Amino acid sequence: MSRTIVVSNRGPLTFRAGPDGDLVAVPAAGGLASSVHRLLAGSGTTWASVTMGAADREAVSKGLMHVDGLDLVPVVVDDETYRQAYDVVANTTLWYVHHHLFDLPNRPRFDRHWRQAWEGYRAYNRAMADAVSERAGDGDTVLVQDYHFSLLGRMLAERRPDLRTVHFLHTPFAAPAMLGVLPDDVAAELLDGMAGYGACGFHCHKWEADFLGCYEAAGRGRGPGPGQARGPAAPRTFVAPLGLDVDGVADEAAADDVAAAAAALRDEVGGRRVVARADRMEPSKNIVRGMLAFEEMLVARPEWLGRVVHVVCAYPSRQGLAEYLAYAADVEHTAERINHAFGTGSGGGDEGGDGWSPIVLSLSDDRPRSLAALTLSDVLLINPVRDGMNLVAKEGPLVNTQDGVLVLSREAGAWEELELGGEGALGVNPFDVAGTADALHAALTMSSEGRAARAGAVRGAVVRRTAADWWADQLAAAQG
Ligand code: F6P
């Protein structure tokens, strides 16, 4: 009987060294690993993921990398290979290319160090190809998640043509001009690697179109590798938006720790209106422009001074990367500057006095507080520069109790499902600070009937499609 093997960089369990040097287990973090874990819990499915450092490797050697009800296959890679593949190529090259984040006059610089990192990325993909080839039975289905494995499709096609392979991308895919930033041979290798998969899936049609556009450009000899041989034919593609584990998220939001966090947050904002957001601390999330838009609203419409608070929950992500640390510093600095310029008295903060801090920023990984912010907000601001899906755009409307208005970037994958012909989310161009300020004002001043209608429409769209539907679409795509 054919089985399913899941492949991802981050698995359902990682370890870190505790204060006494002991190993501390950390359950799946991030949208992808936690969504997949909820879906597969108890199913016995084989899940191959990569060790993320020394603590994970030690856990593997001690037999601790184990989750009941799953068949975990930890793929062990050394620190240097992991750094080259995850930090340099996946998260500071491919992530930047697919999200259009490069500050092009300065970055990227594809020097010999970067070339070594590309070698590391190949080795990392090969390590996964070895593990899957060894473990898979005849004709098994392999569902590969994300941009860490762009080369695995070709490697598996060459070694195990019997397998049914699917790649699902949780980020956008670069537009052709942006893919052309990569060195010609690298872009060509990436497209060839992806063409090796039986099918490639995306959260929305826009990313699928960019993906196909890259093959078309390469085929005309005008994409990556001008003057080179024509590129490969595109693989079969499909669009399958990730939905929520609706009951699971609703249960989480109803828990006592979220109620306690909501009570604390209410004290902090002191009865004022709330514009909230909850994101990983990450450049594509556009947190700084969101705060600048909030500031612009205070300047353009001074009637809001003292009457509204921007609650920003930005929890740590990929802290080994200089770019992410610099972005976090920018977020903190911007919040401080705005609070210094506009804040009054002592409060808006923990003391809850009469004073007002326009921005309440939390930097810790505090899921109950993030959920609390989503439940009590009047407006949820999600303005990424570009985002594969953005699950917070679905979680927020599901758990919100205030008929909150969703202000959503048209560059988030979720936009396709949640704009609802102009009757759902309010759309913003993520680069347009003044336009975003206007959208925040429109959301805050919308009639209660208008709010209820939009919130109901968005919630309806969120519950219509679940994570299980997304998974079923991948399995169907594997069958061809
Ligand atoms: O959204 C893309 C993605 O890679 C997800 O798949 C993942 O959940 C999230 O970013 C966090 O990434 P990381 O595992 O690098 O912390």
Side-chain angles (χ1 to χ4, degrees):
M1 199 184 85
S2 111
R3 290 176 313 158
T4 300
I5 299 178
V6 182
V7 170
S8 64
N9 168 69
R10 185 186 286 279
L13 183 64
T14 57
F15 287 80
R16 63 177 168 76
D20 310 322
D22 49 332
L23 289 176
V24 180
V26 186
L32 158 66
S34 56
S35 297
V36 174
H37 192 185
R38 280 178 173 162
L39 277 170
L40 299 183
S43 67
T45 304
T46 300
W47 186 343
S49 61
V50 187
T51 55
M52 298 181 75
D56 277 0
R57 289 197 300 271
E58 193 184 334
V60 173
S61 69
K62 291 183 169 163
L64 299 175
M65 197 59 94
H66 173 83
V67 173
D68 282 344
L70 287 173
D71 170 32
L72 295 194
V73 178
V75 176
V76 176
V77 299
D78 61 80
D79 283 340
E80 182 56 7
T81 304
Y82 194 76
R83 187 192 69 77
Q84 292 174 329
Y86 179 76
D87 288 351
V88 180
V89 175
N91 286 339
T92 25
T93 305
L94 299 183
W95 183 272
Y96 275 58
V97 166
H98 289 323
H99 289 87
H100 297 185
L101 292 179
F102 278 124
D103 168 21
L104 287 177
N106 299 300
R107 294 282 188 281
R109 296 170 187 171
F110 296 114
D111 55 14
R112 68 197 160 80
H113 298 293
W114 190 88
R115 286 288 176 171
Q116 281 163 4
W118 183 246
E119 263 310 318
Y121 184 75
R122 285 178 176 145
Y124 166 105
N125 275 254
R126 268 197 305 271
M128 184 56 80
D130 290 344
V132 172
S133 302
E134 189 180 308
R135 187 56 89 99
D138 204 25
D140 278 357
T141 292
V142 186
L143 303 185
V144 178
Q145 309 296 310
D146 251 341
Y147 54 98
H148 312 87
F149 297 106
S150 311
L151 307 181
L152 182 59
R154 176 62 59 214
M155 292 173 180
L156 288 177
E158 282 168 359
R159 293 165 62 168
R160 291 293 306 270
D162 59 298
L163 299 177
R164 296 169 179 275
T165 61
V166 169
H167 184 281
F168 197 91
L169 189 66
H170 293 266
T171 66
F173 196 88
M178 198 53 69
L179 195 76
V181 167
L182 292 175
D184 294 349
D185 58 315
V186 168
E189 190 175 340
L190 187 146
L191 291 181
D192 184 55
M194 299 286 286
Y197 286 108
C200 288
F202 303 87
H203 285 305
C204 70
H205 293 89
K206 193 166 172 170
W207 312 146
E208 180 192 47
D210 279 338
F211 179 72
L212 293 173
C214 287
Y215 284 90
E216 209 186 299
R220 289 196 305 266
R222 285 181 34 213
Q228 294 183 341
R230 299 276 181 224
R236 187 158 46 83
T237 59
F238 64 101
V239 173
L242 175 56
L244 297 179
D245 165 11
V246 170
D247 294 337
V249 175
D251 287 351
E252 239 192 306
D256 290 347
D257 54 357
V258 176
L265 195 49
R266 272 199 200 90
D267 266 4
E268 285 177 53
V269 301
R272 299 179 175 91
R273 309 291 299 280
V274 172
V275 174
R277 72 180 304 145
D279 298 285
R280 288 188 300 115
M281 179 67 90
E282 208 268 294
S284 72
K285 301 298 181 188
N286 211 18
I287 300 168
V288 172
R289 277 202 197 85
M291 291 193 287
L292 296 179
F294 186 78
E295 177 184 31
E296 182 120 343
M297 182 182 77
L298 298 178
V299 173
R301 305 177 193 275
E303 67 269 26
W304 285 115
L305 289 170
R307 293 179 48 223
V308 60
V309 173
H310 188 16
V311 174
V312 178
C313 303
Y315 48 94
S317 176
R318 302 176 186 163
Q319 290 183 297
L321 300 182
E323 287 81 353
Y324 283 57
L325 297 177
Y327 190 72
D330 200 8
V331 166
E332 280 188 77
H333 169 79
T334 306
E336 273 166 29
R337 182 187 61 69
I338 293 172
N339 282 343
H340 184 72
F342 294 87
T344 56
S346 61
D350 296 338
E351 351 31 52
D354 292 337
W356 169 62
S357 286
I359 299 194
V360 172
L361 174 63
S362 318
L363 299 169
S364 57
D365 189 356
D366 186 344
R367 173 83 172 157
R369 183 174 168 95
S370 293
L371 280 173
L374 299 183
T375 61
L376 59 73
S377 61
D378 298 287
V379 178
L380 175 59
L381 174 60
I382 300 194
N383 63 327
V385 166
R386 212 167 143 90
D387 205 337
M389 164 52 76
N390 198 304
L391 279 185
V392 181
K394 295 185 171 183
E395 290 174 338
L398 180 72
V399 304
N400 185 268
T401 58
Q402 308 296 311
D403 286 337
V405 181
L406 175 61
V407 173
L408 181 59
S409 166
R410 292 191 294 257
E411 300 301 321
W415 173 251
E416 273 187 24
E417 285 175 279
L418 302 184
E419 59 105 2
L420 298 165
E423 306 204 337
L426 292 188
V428 286
N429 167 347
F431 307 103
D432 183 356
V433 170
T436 304
D438 288 345
L440 292 178
H441 174 72
L444 284 166
T445 51
M446 193 178 288
S447 69
S448 53
E449 295 76 25
R451 294 169 61 85
R454 282 181 186 272
V458 172
R459 206 175 299 123
V462 168
V463 299
R464 260 199 300 281
R465 186 175 163 88
T466 66
D469 297 325
W470 166 71
W471 198 251
D473 285 348
Q474 283 183 79
L475 290 170
Q479 297 311 311

